[in-house]
C-alpha cells in the first residue's frame, strides 16, 4: 500500500497494518514454496528524519522516521528485519532495494494519492484545460532525487540476477542530481507548454525537507551504469536520452549485458 504525502498523513495506521501483513504474507509464502530469491522494495522515506547526509544503507534503523508517514516507514523497515531473520534462521537469500522517487509511464496521476511529479502533471493538465493558475502544494523548497522507471527496472533485473547480499542497496541517481520541488514544477510547466500563473500554497505541508541518498554502493558494483537525466526522460518527449554507443538502436538502453530485459 503506497501513496503520496497527504494520504500518508491521514492513514498512518492503515499503511502500517496493511504493509506489515503484505510483508509477512509474501516473505513467508516465498519461504514455504522454496523461492531461491526475493527482492523487496523499500523507500528513502524509511530513513531517520534527523540524520546526516547523504544517507546510506547502514543508516535505516538509526532513529525515528518523519512523523508524516511513520506508519508506512516503520512497516517498510520491517522488511529489512524480516529478511535478515530469514537469512539467519534458514539461509534464505531475501534482500531489498531502496529506490528514490520513481517517475515514468503508467504512474499514479491522482492528485490526492499520487506522488509529487505525476500529481503535478495532472494539475498542469487541469490548469491548461480550465485556463486557471497552477497551485503547487508547499513551499517548493524540499529536494528530491528522481529515477526513471525503466532505469529502475533494469537495476531490479541486475539485483535479481547478480546482487547476492541480504543487506539492502540504494538504487538512485547521484547526489548531484537532486532537484527542488520548485524545479520539478518548472520542468513540468515547460514540458507541457503551460503559460499560466504558478503559485505555491505554503499552508500545505512540505513533508521531509530532504532525503539525499548516496548511490556509492551501487556505483561500486556498476560504475558505468548511465541514468536517464531528469529532463531527458518522458517530460522531454523521449523515453531515454540518445545513446551514442555503437551497437544500440534509437531508444534502446546502452549495452550492459546483465541489464538487458
Amino acid at each position: 500500500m503506497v501513496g503520496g504525502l497527504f494520504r500518508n498523513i491521514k492513514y498512518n495506521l492503515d499503511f502500517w497494518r496493511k504493509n506489515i501483513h503484505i510483508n509477512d504474507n509474501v516473505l513467508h509464502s516465498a519461504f514455504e514454496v522454496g523461492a531461491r530469491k526475493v527482492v523487496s522494495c523499500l523507500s528513502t522515506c524509511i530513513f531517520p528524519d534527523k540524520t546526516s547526509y547523504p544517507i546510506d544503507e547502514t543508516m535505516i534503523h538509526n532513529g525515528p522516521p518523519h512523523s508524516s508517514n511513520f506508519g508506512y516507514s516503520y512497516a517498510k523497515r520491517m522488511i529489512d528485519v524480516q529478511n535478515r531473520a530469514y537469512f539467519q534462521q534458514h539461509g534464505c537469500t531475501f534482500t531489498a532495494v531502496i529506490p528514490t522517487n520513481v517517475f515514468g509511464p503508467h504512474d499514479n496521476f491522482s492528485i490526492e494519492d499520487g506522488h509529487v511529479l505525476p500529481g503535478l502533471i495532472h494539475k498542469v493538465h487541469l490548469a491548461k484545460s480550465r485556463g486557471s493558475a497552477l497551485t503547487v502544494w508547499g513551499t517548493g523548497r524540499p529536494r528530491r532525487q528522481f529515477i526513471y522507471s525503466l532505469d529502475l527496472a533494469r537495476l531490479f533485473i541486475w539485483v535479481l540476477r547478480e546482487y547476492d547480499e541480504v543487506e539492502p542497496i540504494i538504487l538512485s541517481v547521484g547526489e548531484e542530481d537532486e532537484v527542488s520541488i520548485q524545479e520539478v514544477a518548472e520542468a513540468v510547466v515547460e514540458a507541457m507548454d503551460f503559460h499560466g500563473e504558478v503559485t505555491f500554497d505554503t499552508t500545505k505541508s512540505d513533508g521531509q525537507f530532504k532525503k539525499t541518498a548516496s548511490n556509492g554502493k551501487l556505483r561500486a558494483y556498476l560504475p558505468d551504469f548511465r541514468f536517464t537525466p531528469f529532463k531527458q526522460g518522458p517530460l522531454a518527449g523521449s523515453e531515454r536520452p540518445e545513446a551514442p554507443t555503437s551497437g544500440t538502436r534509437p531508444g534502446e538502453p546502452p549495452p550492459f549485458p546483465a541489464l538487458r530485459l
Side-chain angles (χ1 to χ4, degrees):
M1 179 181 177
V2 65
L5 170 62
F6 294 94
R7 191 178 180 206
N8 272 279
I9 291 173
K10 190 174 181 180
Y11 297 112
N12 268 295
L13 175 62
D14 291 354
F15 276 96
W16 162 260
R17 293 190 69 247
K18 291 185 179 181
N19 283 304
I20 282 291
H21 292 156
I22 291 169
N23 298 351
D24 192 55
N25 287 338
V26 171
L27 294 179
H28 196 65
S29 295
F31 166 70
E32 287 187 322
V33 301
R36 291 167 53 197
K37 191 169 187 179
V38 176
V39 181
S40 298
C41 191
L42 309 184
S43 166
T44 51
C45 72
I46 71 176
F47 284 93
D49 180 34
K50 308 298 182 185
T51 188
S52 57
Y53 293 99
I55 50 181
D56 64 36
E57 294 84 354
T58 67
M59 302 162 69
I60 294 173
H61 304 284
N62 284 2
H66 193 271
S67 59
S68 63
N69 60 356
F70 69 90
Y72 177 81
S73 298
Y74 277 123
K76 298 301 276 187
R77 284 187 188 186
M78 291 304 101
I79 293 177
D80 179 51
V81 173
Q82 206 162 348
N83 284 344
R84 294 170 187 272
Y86 273 107
F87 177 73
Q88 180 195 54
Q89 195 165 327
H90 300 291
C92 299
T93 309
F94 294 172
T95 191
V97 300
I98 309 173
T100 46
N101 292 61
V102 187
F103 74 104
H106 313 295
D107 210 330
N108 173 12
F109 292 90
S110 167
I111 292 174
E112 293 293 333
D113 296 343
H115 287 106
V116 59
L117 199 154
L120 282 170
I121 291 173
H122 190 170
K123 282 188 171 185
V124 172
H125 169 73
L126 293 177
K128 284 189 69 173
S129 62
R130 296 169 179 170
S132 60
L134 167 67
T135 301
V136 182
W137 289 347
T139 65
R141 292 195 297 267
R143 304 185 65 80
R144 297 290 184 266
Q145 290 155 289
F146 289 88
I147 181 172
Y148 186 43
S149 58
L150 296 184
D151 293 346
L152 180 60
R154 294 180 181 100
L155 290 171
F156 259 112
I157 297 298
W158 170 77
V159 170
L160 187 65
R161 293 175 177 171
E162 307 290 340
Y163 181 73
D164 294 325
E165 295 186 39
V166 172
E167 289 74 15
I169 184 169
I170 292 171
L171 303 182
S172 174
V173 298
E175 301 160 48
E176 68 279 3
D177 294 314
E178 189 176 55
V179 293
S180 71
I181 299 303
Q182 180 174 342
E183 290 173 301
V184 173
E186 290 169 351
V188 174
V189 163
E190 179 183 356
M192 297 183 68
D193 197 31
F194 176 71
H195 299 286
E197 181 185 6
V198 179
T199 62
F200 289 84
D201 183 354
T202 57
T203 66
K204 300 290 188 182
S205 173
D206 274 333
Q208 196 165 358
F209 178 71
K210 64 183 294 181
K211 300 185 283 187
T212 315
S214 168
N215 68 354
K217 184 175 182 178
L218 175 65
R219 282 301 188 196
Y221 278 103
L222 299 176
D224 299 323
F225 184 82
R226 286 187 281 169
F227 289 94
T228 302
F230 178 65
K231 286 194 173 183
Q232 292 184 29
L235 290 178
S238 62
E239 290 209 346
R240 284 193 64 89
E242 291 184 8
T245 311
S246 61
T248 62
R249 298 186 299 275
E252 182 181 355
F256 206 107
L259 302 184
R260 292 192 181 277
L261 300 182

